[in-house]
């Protein structure tokens, strides 16, 4: 009998179900009966509760339409599969700027070399862009339909998204239908006394001084005339940099810290509302005589049925299901307080959970060998060998470039090459021993560092073996050595690739960081900021992207014009831009635009770019482009990064003082100590404001069931 049940269970998992599980697609929901309660929960009720729980998992608002059709559509478009697909299509759309004519695919961007660019098919690029734009329109239209017009009208970002998509589609249609025959690229070619010769120059030079980029150059002429003139610049710098700039930093820090905190508080409120809404929906059920009943409890079996259909982290699912099973030992039903308490497990971070259970060891020989593989001494030896390997590779590579005679080279590096080969074999065996000692699944799941170690070790070992099979020795063959000397600019060869991979073992120094708590906090702050700042960095990158495109529109060909004038004057025009040979910097293509803006962001000599492009365009208004970029990046963007870094550091410091785990893997962890639970009254008020469900009346539930 047990065998038959097992066979039936296995057969029920079809290939279609496995594909859905692999792609994390929404699971179907069916009507459920409860014999003890003698009631039935329709598939629509369960679907609504499931969607509300998924809203809670994703910190989403429950303000969306609740009829079956819209719930199914909303659930699909909120699934991780559609979100990832949307991200991929968005990435494709953004990357098209690299392929546009003039493309960014050339060996160099230096206008003196007149680089040949790869030209991609205009029609293919336009078709791809059109498909992505239509997807964006379809995506936002569908989401807006599910949310309802009243909700959309209150969401500024959705309106802006619509406007941008419609404008982009109109532009795309015009370019594709009317301009494709004459298209030659979207960028048209652009056409000294003292520092304070006029008001415009005075204001600009003081702005540059505010960034310290032209100090002390700007002060020298005035300081040469009179000593007291230096006081003007000293006072300006003290007031501007050490006072106003610090005040600006503090204001931006406080403003955005408040913004981050309010954002997390609102996200938590949305989760609590969604959890409460899912319970309220399940309280209503239909008896066998088709009448609607409302009770204060919900059968645990019904909640488990809903839970199996919810798209959530597997760790959260197991924890919640485990708690529900424990409650089932005492009672078959669960009330609101118990349900809310269990769903607070969604707030827990899986990365802060206890370590994976590791198999206990015995006293036999194999277990003793496993204990060696698990020991910190084994890790320490591997780290020392990794440092030694990096040093040997450095010496070996330097000898290849310093020695001109092959025989002298061989005498120097033969012992080094064979020692390094032995170390590579050791690293390869080390990973195998560790995976055997801990168990492969536990070893690789316990830390991403273990995956990185294995990848580097195996890649390095395979490359080294391939090189030995081809050349018969770990030392560079003579013919390859001659070719390398003749081709100084050759790209990564097999030998160079092997040595580059070998250098990656330097990352093992990270193992020494946990020895100091303060270093762990500092390094962890950087890592956690990268992990948690996804949305914020996405906004910054969008601004960076848009500003690069704008630069191509405004200054495409400006450097060519500057270089043409430079050649026409027989190279007698000598501005700072020309003297420093900044010719590769420009806005002729998308890649060059991003690199140029990066140079300006670093601040050092950013005024050189301003002067150069002002001269190329013969317009002082071109300065505004660079000034706005400088002010946005240094006074806003970097200060917001500082605010986020400060909050992460404070959160980690508090945990260190309380002897807690130092990982801060989401924004909720950062502001956990500052967040207060919303009151029941506040949650109920928000539920009563729902535009599509009247939580006050049972009639609304009758409408859901009959839909």
């Amino acid at each position: 009998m047990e065998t038959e049940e097992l066979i039936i269970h296995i057969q029920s998992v079809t290939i279609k179900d496995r594909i859905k599980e692999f792609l994390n697609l929404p699971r179907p929901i069916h009507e459920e009966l409860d014999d003890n309660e003698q009631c039935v929960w329709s598939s629509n009720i369960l679907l609504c509760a499931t969607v509300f729980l998924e809203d809670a998992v994703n910190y989403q608002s429950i303000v969306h339409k609740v009829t079956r059709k819209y719930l199914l559509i909303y659930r699909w478009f909120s699934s991780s599969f559609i979100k990832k697909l949307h991200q991929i299509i968005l990435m494709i759309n953004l990357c098209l700027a690299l392929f546009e004519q003039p493309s960014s695919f050339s060996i160099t961007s230096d206008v003196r070399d007149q680089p040949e660019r790869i030209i991609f098919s205009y029609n293919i690029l336009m078709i791809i862009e059109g498909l992505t734009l239509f997807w964006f329109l379809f995506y936002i239209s569908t989401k807006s339909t599910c949310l309802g017009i009243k909700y959309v009208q209150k969401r500024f970002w959705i309106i802006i998204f619509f406007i941008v998509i419609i404008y982009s589609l109109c532009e795309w249609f015009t370019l594709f239908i009317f301009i494709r025959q004459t298209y030659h690229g979207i960028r048209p070619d652009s056409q000294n006394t003292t520092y304070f010769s006029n008001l415009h120059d005075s204001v600009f030079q003081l702005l540059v001084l505010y960034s310290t980029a032209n100090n002390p150059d700007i002060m020298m002429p005035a300081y040469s005339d009179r000593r007291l003139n230096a006081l003007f610049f000293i006072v300006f710098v003290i007031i501007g940099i050490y006072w106003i700039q610090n005040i600006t930093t503090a204001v931006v820090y406080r403003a955005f810290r408040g913004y981050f905190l309010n954002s997390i508080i609102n996200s938590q409120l949305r989760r609590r509302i969604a959890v409460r809404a899912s319970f309220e929906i399940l309280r209503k059920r239909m008896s066998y005589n088709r009448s609607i009943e409302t009770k204060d409890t919900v059968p645990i079996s019904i909640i488990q049925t809903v839970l199996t259909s919810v798209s959530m982290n597997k760790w959260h699912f197991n924890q919640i299901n485990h708690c529900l099973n424990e409650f089932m030992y005492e009672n078959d039903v669960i009330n609101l307080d118990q349900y809310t308490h269990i769903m607070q497990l969604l707030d827990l971070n899986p990365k802060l959970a206890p370590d994976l259970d590791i198999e206990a060891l015995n006293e036999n020989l194999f277990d003793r060998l496993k204990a060696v593989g698990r020991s910190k001494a084994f890790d320490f030896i591997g780290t020392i060998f990794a440092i030694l390997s990096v040093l040997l590779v450095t010496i070996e590579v330097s000898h290849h470039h310093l020695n001109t005679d092959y025989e002298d080279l061989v005498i120097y590096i033969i012992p080094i090459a064979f020692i390094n080969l032995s170390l590579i074999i050791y690293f390869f065996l080390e990973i195998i021993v560790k995976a055997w000692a801990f168990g492969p699944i536990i070893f690789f799941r316990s830390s991403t560092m273990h995956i990185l170690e294995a990848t580097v070790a195996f890649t390095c070992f395979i490359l080294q073996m391939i090189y030995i099979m081809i050349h018969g020795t770990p030392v560079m063959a003579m013919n390859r050595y001659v070719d390398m000397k003749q081709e100084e600019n050759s790209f990564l060869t097999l030998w160079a690739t092997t040595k580059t991979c070998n250098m990656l073992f330097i990352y093992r120094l990270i193992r020494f960081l946990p020895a100091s708590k303060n270093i762990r906090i500092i390094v962890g702050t950087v890592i956690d900021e990268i992990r948690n700042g996804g949305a914020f960095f996405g906004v910054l990158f969008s601004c960076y992207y848009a500003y690069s495109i704008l630069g191509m529109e405004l200054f495409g060909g400006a450097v060519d014009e500057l270089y043409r004038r430079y050649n026409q004057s027989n190279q007698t025009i000598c501005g700072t831009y020309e003297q420093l040979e900044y010719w590769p910097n420009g806005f002729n293509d998308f890649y060059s635009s991003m690199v140029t803006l990066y140079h300006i962001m670093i601040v050092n000599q950013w005024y050189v770019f301003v002067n150069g492009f002002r001269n190329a365009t013969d317009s002082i208004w071109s300065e505004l482009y660079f000034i706005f970029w400088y002010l946005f990046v240094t006074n806003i963007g970097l200060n917001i990064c500082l605010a986020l870094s400060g909050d992460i550091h404070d959160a980690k410091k508090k945990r260190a003082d309380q002897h807690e785990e130092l990982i801060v893997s989401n924004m909720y962890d950062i502001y956990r100590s500052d967040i207060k639970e919303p009151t029941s009254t506040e949650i109920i008020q928000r539920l009563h404001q729902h535009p599509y469900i009247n939580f006050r009346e049972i009639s609304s539930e009758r409408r859901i069931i009959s839909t």
Side-chain angles (χ1 to χ4, degrees), residues 141-180:
S141 299
T142 306
K143 292 279 283 189
S144 300
T145 303
C146 293
L147 296 174
I149 190 66
K150 293 182 179 179
Y151 181 87
V152 171
Q153 288 176 344
K154 299 177 182 179
R155 292 298 177 270
F156 179 74
W157 70 268
I158 298 181
I159 298 174
I160 293 297
F161 197 95
F162 259 121
I163 294 174
V164 171
I165 292 301
I166 296 299
Y167 171 81
S168 300
L169 279 171
C170 294
E171 182 189 40
W172 173 84
F173 183 79
T174 303
L175 288 172
F176 189 63
I177 302 299
F178 300 107
I179 306 181
R180 60 178 175 174

Short mmCIF file of all heavy atoms in Angstrom, two decimals, residues 141-180:
data_model
loop_
_atom_site.label_atom_id
_atom_site.label_comp_id
_atom_site.label_asym_id
_atom_site.label_seq_id
_atom_site.Cartn_x
_atom_site.Cartn_y
_atom_site.Cartn_z
N SER A 141 1.21 48.78 -18.69
CA SER A 141 -0.25 48.86 -18.93
C SER A 141 -0.97 47.76 -18.16
O SER A 141 -2.02 48.00 -17.55
CB SER A 141 -0.53 48.74 -20.43
OG SER A 141 0.08 49.77 -21.15
N THR A 142 -0.40 46.57 -18.19
CA THR A 142 -1.03 45.45 -17.47
C THR A 142 -1.02 45.69 -15.97
O THR A 142 -2.03 45.48 -15.28
CB THR A 142 -0.29 44.14 -17.80
OG1 THR A 142 -0.24 43.96 -19.21
CG2 THR A 142 -1.00 42.96 -17.17
N LYS A 143 0.13 46.12 -15.44
CA LYS A 143 0.20 46.40 -14.01
C LYS A 143 -0.79 47.51 -13.62
O LYS A 143 -1.46 47.42 -12.59
CB LYS A 143 1.63 46.83 -13.65
CG LYS A 143 2.66 45.75 -13.77
CD LYS A 143 2.69 44.83 -12.59
CE LYS A 143 3.36 45.42 -11.41
NZ LYS A 143 3.57 44.44 -10.31
N SER A 144 -0.88 48.54 -14.45
CA SER A 144 -1.78 49.66 -14.14
C SER A 144 -3.24 49.22 -14.18
O SER A 144 -4.06 49.66 -13.38
CB SER A 144 -1.55 50.80 -15.13
OG SER A 144 -0.22 51.27 -15.06
N THR A 145 -3.57 48.32 -15.11
CA THR A 145 -4.93 47.81 -15.20
C THR A 145 -5.30 47.04 -13.94
O THR A 145 -6.42 47.15 -13.42
CB THR A 145 -5.08 46.91 -16.43
OG1 THR A 145 -4.72 47.65 -17.60
CG2 THR A 145 -6.51 46.42 -16.57
N CYS A 146 -4.35 46.24 -13.43
CA CYS A 146 -4.60 45.47 -12.21
C CYS A 146 -4.70 46.38 -10.99
O CYS A 146 -5.47 46.10 -10.07
CB CYS A 146 -3.49 44.44 -12.01
SG CYS A 146 -3.45 43.14 -13.25
N LEU A 147 -3.94 47.44 -10.96
CA LEU A 147 -3.95 48.35 -9.81
C LEU A 147 -5.16 49.27 -9.81
O LEU A 147 -5.64 49.66 -8.75
CB LEU A 147 -2.66 49.17 -9.79
CG LEU A 147 -1.37 48.39 -9.59
CD1 LEU A 147 -0.17 49.31 -9.73
CD2 LEU A 147 -1.35 47.71 -8.24
N GLY A 148 -5.63 49.63 -11.01
CA GLY A 148 -6.78 50.53 -11.09
C GLY A 148 -6.35 51.97 -11.33
O GLY A 148 -5.27 52.40 -10.91
N ILE A 149 -7.19 52.73 -12.00
CA ILE A 149 -6.85 54.09 -12.42
C ILE A 149 -6.68 55.02 -11.22
O ILE A 149 -5.83 55.93 -11.23
CB ILE A 149 -7.93 54.63 -13.40
CG1 ILE A 149 -7.47 55.94 -14.02
CG2 ILE A 149 -9.26 54.79 -12.68
CD1 ILE A 149 -6.27 55.82 -14.91
N LYS A 150 -7.46 54.80 -10.16
CA LYS A 150 -7.34 55.68 -8.99
C LYS A 150 -5.98 55.54 -8.33
O LYS A 150 -5.38 56.53 -7.89
CB LYS A 150 -8.46 55.36 -7.99
CG LYS A 150 -9.85 55.71 -8.47
CD LYS A 150 -10.90 55.41 -7.41
CE LYS A 150 -12.30 55.78 -7.88
NZ LYS A 150 -13.33 55.47 -6.86
N TYR A 151 -5.49 54.32 -8.24
CA TYR A 151 -4.17 54.09 -7.64
C TYR A 151 -3.07 54.67 -8.52
O TYR A 151 -2.12 55.29 -8.03
CB TYR A 151 -3.96 52.59 -7.43
CG TYR A 151 -2.65 52.24 -6.79
CD1 TYR A 151 -2.51 52.21 -5.41
CD2 TYR A 151 -1.54 51.92 -7.57
CE1 TYR A 151 -1.31 51.88 -4.81
CE2 TYR A 151 -0.33 51.60 -6.99
CZ TYR A 151 -0.22 51.57 -5.61
OH TYR A 151 0.98 51.25 -5.03
N VAL A 152 -3.20 54.47 -9.83
CA VAL A 152 -2.18 54.95 -10.77
C VAL A 152 -2.06 56.46 -10.74
O VAL A 152 -0.96 57.02 -10.81
CB VAL A 152 -2.49 54.45 -12.20
CG1 VAL A 152 -1.58 55.09 -13.22
CG2 VAL A 152 -2.36 52.93 -12.26
N GLN A 153 -3.19 57.15 -10.62
CA GLN A 153 -3.18 58.61 -10.59
C GLN A 153 -2.41 59.16 -9.40
O GLN A 153 -1.90 60.28 -9.45
CB GLN A 153 -4.62 59.14 -10.57
CG GLN A 153 -5.36 58.97 -11.89
CD GLN A 153 -6.79 59.41 -11.80
OE1 GLN A 153 -7.34 59.57 -10.70
NE2 GLN A 153 -7.43 59.61 -12.94
N LYS A 154 -2.29 58.37 -8.34
CA LYS A 154 -1.57 58.82 -7.15
C LYS A 154 -0.10 58.41 -7.16
O LYS A 154 0.63 58.76 -6.24
CB LYS A 154 -2.23 58.25 -5.90
CG LYS A 154 -3.68 58.69 -5.71
CD LYS A 154 -4.28 58.01 -4.48
CE LYS A 154 -5.74 58.41 -4.30
NZ LYS A 154 -6.35 57.73 -3.12
N ARG A 155 0.32 57.66 -8.17
CA ARG A 155 1.70 57.18 -8.23
C ARG A 155 2.45 57.91 -9.34
O ARG A 155 2.25 57.64 -10.52
CB ARG A 155 1.73 55.66 -8.46
CG ARG A 155 1.21 54.88 -7.28
CD ARG A 155 2.06 55.11 -6.04
NE ARG A 155 1.57 54.43 -4.85
CZ ARG A 155 0.72 54.94 -3.99
NH1 ARG A 155 0.22 56.15 -4.20
NH2 ARG A 155 0.35 54.26 -2.91
N PHE A 156 3.28 58.86 -8.92
CA PHE A 156 3.99 59.73 -9.86
C PHE A 156 4.91 58.94 -10.78
O PHE A 156 5.01 59.23 -11.97
CB PHE A 156 4.79 60.77 -9.07
CG PHE A 156 5.57 61.71 -9.93
CD1 PHE A 156 4.94 62.72 -10.64
CD2 PHE A 156 6.96 61.60 -10.03
CE1 PHE A 156 5.65 63.59 -11.42
CE2 PHE A 156 7.68 62.47 -10.82
CZ PHE A 156 7.03 63.47 -11.51
N TRP A 157 5.58 57.91 -10.24
CA TRP A 157 6.56 57.17 -11.05
C TRP A 157 5.89 56.40 -12.18
O TRP A 157 6.47 56.24 -13.27
CB TRP A 157 7.36 56.22 -10.16
CG TRP A 157 6.59 55.04 -9.64
CD1 TRP A 157 5.92 54.95 -8.47
CD2 TRP A 157 6.42 53.78 -10.30
NE1 TRP A 157 5.34 53.72 -8.34
CE2 TRP A 157 5.63 52.98 -9.44
CE3 TRP A 157 6.85 53.24 -11.50
CZ2 TRP A 157 5.27 51.68 -9.76
CZ3 TRP A 157 6.50 51.94 -11.82
CH2 TRP A 157 5.71 51.17 -10.96
N ILE A 158 4.64 55.93 -11.97
CA ILE A 158 3.94 55.22 -13.04
C ILE A 158 3.57 56.18 -14.17
O ILE A 158 3.71 55.86 -15.36
CB ILE A 158 2.67 54.53 -12.49
CG1 ILE A 158 3.05 53.49 -11.43
CG2 ILE A 158 1.87 53.89 -13.62
CD1 ILE A 158 1.86 52.75 -10.85
N ILE A 159 3.13 57.38 -13.81
CA ILE A 159 2.79 58.38 -14.83
C ILE A 159 4.02 58.76 -15.63
O ILE A 159 3.98 58.84 -16.87
CB ILE A 159 2.17 59.62 -14.15
CG1 ILE A 159 0.86 59.24 -13.43
CG2 ILE A 159 1.91 60.72 -15.17
CD1 ILE A 159 0.26 60.36 -12.61
N ILE A 160 5.15 58.99 -14.94
CA ILE A 160 6.39 59.32 -15.63
C ILE A 160 6.82 58.19 -16.55
O ILE A 160 7.26 58.41 -17.69
CB ILE A 160 7.50 59.65 -14.61
CG1 ILE A 160 7.16 60.94 -13.85
CG2 ILE A 160 8.85 59.77 -15.29
CD1 ILE A 160 7.09 62.16 -14.74
N PHE A 161 6.68 56.96 -16.07
CA PHE A 161 7.04 55.79 -16.88
C PHE A 161 6.21 55.75 -18.16
O PHE A 161 6.73 55.51 -19.26
CB PHE A 161 6.82 54.52 -16.06
CG PHE A 161 7.50 53.31 -16.61
CD1 PHE A 161 8.75 52.93 -16.15
CD2 PHE A 161 6.90 52.53 -17.59
CE1 PHE A 161 9.39 51.81 -16.66
CE2 PHE A 161 7.52 51.42 -18.11
CZ PHE A 161 8.78 51.05 -17.64
N PHE A 162 4.90 56.02 -18.04
CA PHE A 162 4.02 56.05 -19.21
C PHE A 162 4.48 57.11 -20.21
O PHE A 162 4.57 56.87 -21.42
CB PHE A 162 2.58 56.33 -18.78
CG PHE A 162 1.72 55.12 -18.73
CD1 PHE A 162 1.10 54.75 -17.55
CD2 PHE A 162 1.51 54.34 -19.85
CE1 PHE A 162 0.29 53.63 -17.49
CE2 PHE A 162 0.71 53.22 -19.82
CZ PHE A 162 0.10 52.86 -18.62
N ILE A 163 4.76 58.31 -19.69
CA ILE A 163 5.15 59.41 -20.58
C ILE A 163 6.44 59.08 -21.32
O ILE A 163 6.56 59.29 -22.53
CB ILE A 163 5.30 60.71 -19.76
CG1 ILE A 163 3.94 61.14 -19.19
CG2 ILE A 163 5.90 61.82 -20.61
CD1 ILE A 163 4.01 62.33 -18.25
N VAL A 164 7.41 58.55 -20.59
CA VAL A 164 8.70 58.21 -21.21
C VAL A 164 8.53 57.12 -22.27
O VAL A 164 9.11 57.21 -23.36
CB VAL A 164 9.71 57.77 -20.12
CG1 VAL A 164 10.97 57.21 -20.76
CG2 VAL A 164 10.05 58.94 -19.22
N ILE A 165 7.72 56.10 -21.97
CA ILE A 165 7.53 55.01 -22.93
C ILE A 165 6.81 55.50 -24.18
O ILE A 165 7.19 55.16 -25.31
CB ILE A 165 6.74 53.86 -22.26
CG1 ILE A 165 7.59 53.20 -21.18
CG2 ILE A 165 6.34 52.83 -23.31
CD1 ILE A 165 8.89 52.63 -21.67
N ILE A 166 5.76 56.31 -24.00
CA ILE A 166 5.02 56.82 -25.17
C ILE A 166 5.93 57.70 -26.03
O ILE A 166 5.95 57.59 -27.26
CB ILE A 166 3.78 57.62 -24.71
CG1 ILE A 166 2.79 56.69 -23.99
CG2 ILE A 166 3.11 58.29 -25.90
CD1 ILE A 166 2.27 55.56 -24.84
N TYR A 167 6.70 58.58 -25.38
CA TYR A 167 7.64 59.43 -26.12
C TYR A 167 8.68 58.58 -26.86
O TYR A 167 8.98 58.83 -28.03
CB TYR A 167 8.33 60.40 -25.17
CG TYR A 167 9.46 61.17 -25.82
CD1 TYR A 167 9.21 62.29 -26.61
CD2 TYR A 167 10.79 60.76 -25.67
CE1 TYR A 167 10.24 62.98 -27.22
CE2 TYR A 167 11.83 61.44 -26.28
CZ TYR A 167 11.55 62.55 -27.06
OH TYR A 167 12.57 63.23 -27.67
N SER A 168 9.21 57.57 -26.17
CA SER A 168 10.22 56.71 -26.79
C SER A 168 9.66 55.95 -27.97
O SER A 168 10.33 55.78 -29.00
CB SER A 168 10.79 55.73 -25.75
OG SER A 168 11.40 56.42 -24.68
N LEU A 169 8.42 55.49 -27.86
CA LEU A 169 7.80 54.78 -28.98
C LEU A 169 7.55 55.71 -30.16
O LEU A 169 7.74 55.31 -31.32
CB LEU A 169 6.48 54.14 -28.52
CG LEU A 169 6.60 52.81 -27.77
CD1 LEU A 169 5.25 52.41 -27.19
CD2 LEU A 169 7.12 51.72 -28.70
N CYS A 170 7.13 56.94 -29.90
CA CYS A 170 6.94 57.91 -30.99
C CYS A 170 8.27 58.20 -31.68
O CYS A 170 8.35 58.25 -32.92
CB CYS A 170 6.32 59.19 -30.45
SG CYS A 170 4.63 59.02 -29.84
N GLU A 171 9.31 58.39 -30.88
CA GLU A 171 10.64 58.64 -31.46
C GLU A 171 11.11 57.43 -32.25
O GLU A 171 11.66 57.56 -33.36
CB GLU A 171 11.63 58.96 -30.34
CG GLU A 171 13.03 59.27 -30.85
CD GLU A 171 14.03 59.36 -29.72
OE1 GLU A 171 13.96 58.56 -28.78
OE2 GLU A 171 14.91 60.24 -29.79
N TRP A 172 10.90 56.24 -31.69
CA TRP A 172 11.31 55.02 -32.39
C TRP A 172 10.57 54.87 -33.71
O TRP A 172 11.17 54.53 -34.74
CB TRP A 172 11.02 53.81 -31.49
CG TRP A 172 11.24 52.50 -32.17
CD1 TRP A 172 12.41 51.83 -32.32
CD2 TRP A 172 10.25 51.69 -32.82
NE1 TRP A 172 12.22 50.66 -33.01
CE2 TRP A 172 10.90 50.55 -33.33
CE3 TRP A 172 8.87 51.81 -33.02
CZ2 TRP A 172 10.22 49.54 -34.02
CZ3 TRP A 172 8.20 50.82 -33.70
CH2 TRP A 172 8.87 49.70 -34.19
N PHE A 173 9.26 55.12 -33.70
CA PHE A 173 8.46 54.99 -34.92
C PHE A 173 8.95 55.96 -35.99
O PHE A 173 9.10 55.61 -37.17
CB PHE A 173 6.98 55.25 -34.60
CG PHE A 173 6.06 55.08 -35.77
CD1 PHE A 173 5.66 53.82 -36.18
CD2 PHE A 173 5.61 56.19 -36.48
CE1 PHE A 173 4.82 53.67 -37.28
CE2 PHE A 173 4.77 56.05 -37.57
CZ PHE A 173 4.37 54.78 -37.97
N THR A 174 9.25 57.20 -35.58
CA THR A 174 9.74 58.21 -36.53
C THR A 174 11.09 57.81 -37.11
O THR A 174 11.31 57.87 -38.33
CB THR A 174 9.85 59.57 -35.83
OG1 THR A 174 8.58 59.93 -35.28
CG2 THR A 174 10.29 60.64 -36.83
N LEU A 175 12.01 57.38 -36.25
CA LEU A 175 13.34 56.99 -36.72
C LEU A 175 13.28 55.77 -37.62
O LEU A 175 13.98 55.69 -38.63
CB LEU A 175 14.25 56.70 -35.51
CG LEU A 175 14.72 57.91 -34.70
CD1 LEU A 175 15.42 57.44 -33.44
CD2 LEU A 175 15.65 58.78 -35.52
N PHE A 176 12.42 54.81 -37.27
CA PHE A 176 12.39 53.55 -38.01
C PHE A 176 11.66 53.69 -39.35
O PHE A 176 12.06 53.09 -40.35
CB PHE A 176 11.70 52.49 -37.16
CG PHE A 176 11.79 51.10 -37.74
CD1 PHE A 176 13.02 50.49 -37.92
CD2 PHE A 176 10.65 50.42 -38.13
CE1 PHE A 176 13.11 49.22 -38.46
CE2 PHE A 176 10.73 49.16 -38.67
CZ PHE A 176 11.96 48.55 -38.84
N ILE A 177 10.61 54.48 -39.39
CA ILE A 177 9.80 54.57 -40.60
C ILE A 177 10.33 55.64 -41.56
O ILE A 177 10.44 55.41 -42.78
CB ILE A 177 8.32 54.86 -40.26
CG1 ILE A 177 7.78 53.75 -39.35
CG2 ILE A 177 7.48 54.99 -41.52
CD1 ILE A 177 7.80 52.37 -39.97
N PHE A 178 10.70 56.80 -41.03
CA PHE A 178 10.99 57.94 -41.90
C PHE A 178 12.48 58.25 -42.07
O PHE A 178 12.88 58.84 -43.06
CB PHE A 178 10.28 59.20 -41.37
CG PHE A 178 8.79 59.05 -41.29
CD1 PHE A 178 8.16 58.91 -40.07
CD2 PHE A 178 8.03 59.04 -42.45
CE1 PHE A 178 6.79 58.78 -39.99
CE2 PHE A 178 6.65 58.90 -42.38
CZ PHE A 178 6.03 58.76 -41.15
N ILE A 179 13.30 57.89 -41.10
CA ILE A 179 14.68 58.38 -41.13
C ILE A 179 15.69 57.27 -41.40
O ILE A 179 16.86 57.53 -41.58
CB ILE A 179 15.02 59.08 -39.79
CG1 ILE A 179 13.97 60.15 -39.52
CG2 ILE A 179 16.39 59.70 -39.78
CD1 ILE A 179 14.22 60.92 -38.24
N ARG A 180 15.27 56.02 -41.46
CA ARG A 180 16.24 54.93 -41.54
C ARG A 180 17.05 54.95 -42.83
O ARG A 180 18.19 54.47 -42.85
CB ARG A 180 15.53 53.59 -41.42
CG ARG A 180 14.49 53.30 -42.49
CD ARG A 180 13.89 51.93 -42.31
NE ARG A 180 12.83 51.67 -43.24
CZ ARG A 180 12.21 50.51 -43.38
NH1 ARG A 180 12.57 49.51 -42.62
NH2 ARG A 180 11.26 50.35 -44.26
#
